[in-house]
Amino acid sequence: MVDTNTELADLGLRPASVRKNWNAERLYEYAVYSSEARVAKGGALVVETGKHTGRSAQDKFTVRDEATETTVWWDNNAAMTPSQFETLWQDFRQHLEGKDLFVQELFGGADPEHRLPVRVVTELGWHSLFIRHLLRRPTEAEYQAFSAEFSIINSPSFRAEPARHGTRSETVIAVNFARKLVLIGGTSYAGETKKAVFTLLNYLLPERGVMPMHCSVNDGGQDDAAIFFGLSGTGKTTLSADESRQLIGDDEHGWSNEGLFNFEGGCYAKMINLSKEAEPEIYATTKMWGTVLENVVMDPETRELDFFDNRLAENSRGAYPISSIRNACDTGRCGQPRTLIMLTCDAFGVMPPIARLTPEQAMYHFLSGYTAKVAGTEKGVTEPTATFSTCFGGPFMPRHPSEYGRLLGELIDRHGVDCWLVSTGWTAGPYGTGSRMPIQVTRHLLNAALDGSLKAAEFRVDPVFGFAVPVCAPGVDAGVLDPRKTWSDLAAYDRQAARLAEMFVENFRTFEAYVPTAVRAAGPRAMIGA
């Protein structure tokens, strides 16, 4: 592609030059030559993002105007006025004047009917390489006819002014649906650009009857595709990476009447505590040329990587094309799902390792988006903490959760999808007393759910949570299937289960007015004083 300084004139930008659609080789060379990145053993690029090593959720704003007033869930999305955005945009343009910029023209979405053409403008070369990995690249013919619907502009060196721009700090992520612009400033964390595209698709696709999902997808090739919902730490990426099944994608997908499709062309995996034994395919990408590693500690002499050193970040990340995974799907598309899995890491130790959900229960647990985080190392804190992130992706949901829940329920019903809740958390007691559910147990149960054999098992109804739990399953000790029986103190289990049930009920009050009676009744039974 020819470099130019007039490429962004339609946006009112006047850069010194624009490096348009540079390939990975040129971007890699630039990142190293300009000291943006260093080279690790094997050829991965190692970068540091400074104080921002994750998303700045509290610094994200949506412009509130006539169109978004009634379509955006304002309880969950911070507002910016149109005039504040115009001032911000004016200052962005002035800040970028005379700079050398990078542009990538890419698609968000593998389905040609529903994909979003975006133009990503970045100040850093490695950011351009990152998003080239993460989104889907046009063919040469598609480049010739490419017309971006949205532009995303990322300038880490820009500093917002709260009094002038209506922001909370010097960092800003501002989404303007009317102007078809996203402005990102004051952060070098590359994941902000990826999640900006996800936010746009989450807003646009429901109007077309397409369900946007924060999930992974794999396919066994027998009309048996599976969806895996799950928050960070639940095993979504690990469990969907199955050598016997083709990986469609590991993070963001759409579900239409034609089937499932990946939003992305790459993966953005956590690197902290990564090992060759536990996650061999992801580990292999860290030895590949061109993988971008954020905040991974590297020995300056040997160039060896230390994934267990968290001095730079607990959220160290790796970005690479999905083709780096051996059994990944090139097209990023498959047919309708047969199975839907909702993953939770229950640190309270009261959830069974697997439970079958009715469609109403699936909607309830989808809107709840439950998992639990362990106490960590803070002195004196020993209790797990419940986390509810609606739709398993609350920070990226511009619309009210009930819209996504309704759409999901319709698709489950239309295509006869089997729904399961899988806990990868603790058994025989809570965190600190019990132990983590063995991965072999989870895989056995998951495989039985995916091949359909688990449906033939005998089930019992959990007295607290109301879902159906298998009494036995091939290759699994029946004792682990009933969490209450794994506890030595049954009264303590009952108190813990009642406590978690109360948390579910309290959290769901936000959605009660927006869902049918059957969905409201599908939650756990609160057992105060049990």
Side-chain angles (χ1 to χ4, degrees):
M1 299 294 177
V2 177
D3 299 343
T4 173
N5 62 356
T6 61
E7 173 65 30
L8 301 174
D10 64 304
L11 290 174
L13 292 173
R14 294 182 293 183
S17 69
V18 175
R19 290 83 180 264
K20 182 182 177 182
N21 294 327
W22 273 19
N23 60 25
E25 290 76 12
R26 295 183 76 183
L27 292 168
Y28 184 103
E29 181 180 65
Y30 176 89
V32 175
Y33 178 77
S34 63
S35 298
E36 288 184 1
R38 296 173 295 157
V39 181
K41 187 175 182 179
L45 282 181
V46 178
V47 299
E48 295 181 15
T49 63
K51 68 176 183 178
H52 291 284
T53 59
R55 292 182 300 101
S56 300
Q58 292 182 306
D59 294 306
K60 184 177 180 181
F61 299 86
T62 301
V63 173
R64 190 166 189 165
D65 54 25
E66 290 183 3
T68 58
E69 178 65 41
T70 57
T71 55
V72 167
W73 180 31
W74 293 112
D75 289 347
N76 187 61
N77 292 268
M80 176 178 283
T81 68
S83 62
Q84 286 170 332
F85 182 88
E86 290 306 319
T87 301
L88 179 69
W89 179 216
Q90 175 186 335
D91 292 346
F92 249 82
R93 292 198 301 268
Q94 183 176 345
H95 178 76
L96 294 174
E97 186 169 345
K99 292 185 181 296
D100 296 318
L101 300 178
F102 298 85
V103 168
Q104 291 288 333
E105 295 172 319
L106 301 161
F107 291 117
D111 187 335
E113 185 176 346
H114 301 298
R115 67 190 180 188
L116 178 69
V118 295
R119 171 173 51 181
V120 181
V121 182
T122 63
E123 190 176 359
L124 298 175
W126 78 262
H127 273 189
S128 194
L129 177 60
F130 168 90
I131 203 62
R132 187 177 174 87
H133 283 342
L134 264 294
L135 294 186
R136 303 193 68 85
R137 294 192 296 277
T139 64
E140 287 302 319
E142 288 170 337
Y143 269 129
Q144 299 304 316
F146 194 91
S147 177
E149 186 173 338
F150 276 80
S151 292
I152 300 170
I153 300 172
N154 190 324
S155 173
S157 66
F158 180 85
R159 296 291 181 266
E161 299 178 27
R164 178 173 171 81
H165 302 126
T167 60
R168 187 186 68 96
S169 70
E170 293 183 337
T171 301
V172 62
I173 302 96
V175 182
N176 190 325
F177 289 106
R179 293 291 302 271
K180 298 185 181 298
L181 269 176
V182 180
L183 304 179
I184 302 170
T187 172
S188 294
Y189 177 67
E192 294 289 9
T193 303
K194 161 189 154 69
K195 289 304 183 186
V197 177
F198 188 35
T199 298
L200 296 176
L201 288 166
N202 279 339
Y203 183 77
L204 298 170
L205 289 181
E207 289 184 342
R208 308 177 190 174
V210 178
M211 177 69 185
M213 303 177 293
H214 183 210
C215 69
S216 57
V217 171
N218 66 22
D219 183 24
Q222 304 294 324
D223 292 325
D224 61 348
I227 296 169
F228 297 78
F229 287 110
L231 298 171
S232 179
T234 59
K236 177 167 59 74
T237 298
T238 301
L239 293 172
S240 61
D242 183 337
E243 288 190 356
S244 67
R245 298 171 64 84
Q246 192 171 45
L247 180 68
I248 306 301
D250 80 334
D251 200 41
E252 297 163 4
H253 294 80
W255 185 359
S256 73
N257 286 328
E258 290 71 46
L260 303 172
F261 62 97
N262 193 356
F263 285 170
E264 301 177 308
C267 302
Y268 192 37
K270 276 195 171 184
M271 293 288 131
I272 195 69
N273 299 329
L274 179 69
S275 70
K276 184 177 182 180
E277 294 72 28
E279 298 180 271
E281 291 198 329
I282 296 174
Y283 183 86
T285 68
T286 68
K287 308 297 181 184
M288 295 179 184
W289 179 94
T291 293
V292 178
L293 298 174
E294 285 181 297
N295 303 311
V296 173
V297 174
M298 180 181 72
D299 187 296
E301 298 298 328
T302 66
R303 301 289 162 149
E304 294 281 358
L305 300 167
D306 185 349
F307 300 107
F308 294 89
D309 190 331
N310 66 353
R311 77 181 78 169
L312 294 177
E314 192 67 35
N315 187 42
S316 55
R317 293 273 179 167
Y320 46 87
I322 198 169
S323 58
S324 298
I325 300 296
R326 184 173 49 189
N327 65 332
C329 175
D330 292 336
T331 66
R333 302 169 68 186
C334 65
Q336 297 295 343
R338 186 166 73 187
T339 310
L340 187 152
I341 305 291
M342 295 185 188
L343 296 165
T344 181
C345 177
D346 175 35
F348 292 87
V350 298
M351 288 280 195
I354 195 165
R356 191 174 184 184
L357 304 176
T358 65
E360 293 78 17
Q361 288 170 335
M363 288 179 64
Y364 184 98
H365 284 277
F366 176 71
L367 289 171
S368 298
Y370 164 71
T371 192
K373 296 181 179 179
V374 297
T377 58
E378 187 177 343
K379 186 176 180 180
V381 178
T382 59
E383 292 294 315
T385 302
T387 299
F388 294 94
S389 182
T390 186
C391 307
F392 295 95
F396 324 115
M397 299 296 167
R399 297 179 180 272
H400 194 277
S402 60
E403 289 194 49
Y404 304 107
R406 175 188 52 78
L407 192 50
L408 180 72
E410 290 173 357
L411 287 163
I412 288 172
D413 182 64
R414 187 179 307 152
H415 300 290
V417 180
D418 295 325
C419 300
W420 303 86
L421 181 69
V422 172
S423 175
T424 60
W426 270 254
T427 183
Y431 169 77
T433 302
S435 58
R436 190 79 186 260
M437 188 67 64
I439 185 69
Q440 297 88 344
V441 171
T442 302
R443 286 200 180 279
H444 270 298
L445 293 170
L446 191 57
N447 289 338
L450 293 178
D451 67 22
S453 63
L454 194 58
K455 291 193 294 182
E458 178 187 352
F459 287 83
R460 66 176 179 85
V461 176
D462 187 280
V464 177
F465 297 98
F467 39 49
V469 182
V471 174
C472 60
V476 176
D477 180 357
V480 79
L481 294 172
D482 187 343
R484 187 174 188 269
K485 291 180 179 178
T486 67
W487 284 51
S488 59
D489 185 340
L490 299 185
Y493 171 89
D494 291 338
R495 288 192 297 272
Q496 190 84 311
R499 179 185 171 203
L500 182 57
E502 276 293 313
M503 293 178 188
F504 266 96
V505 171
E506 182 61 32
N507 174 74
F508 204 78
R509 295 192 199 284
T510 304
F511 311 117
E512 285 182 346
Y514 301 94
V515 299
T517 302
V519 175
R520 291 199 298 273
R525 299 166 174 84
M527 300 171 62
I528 301 173

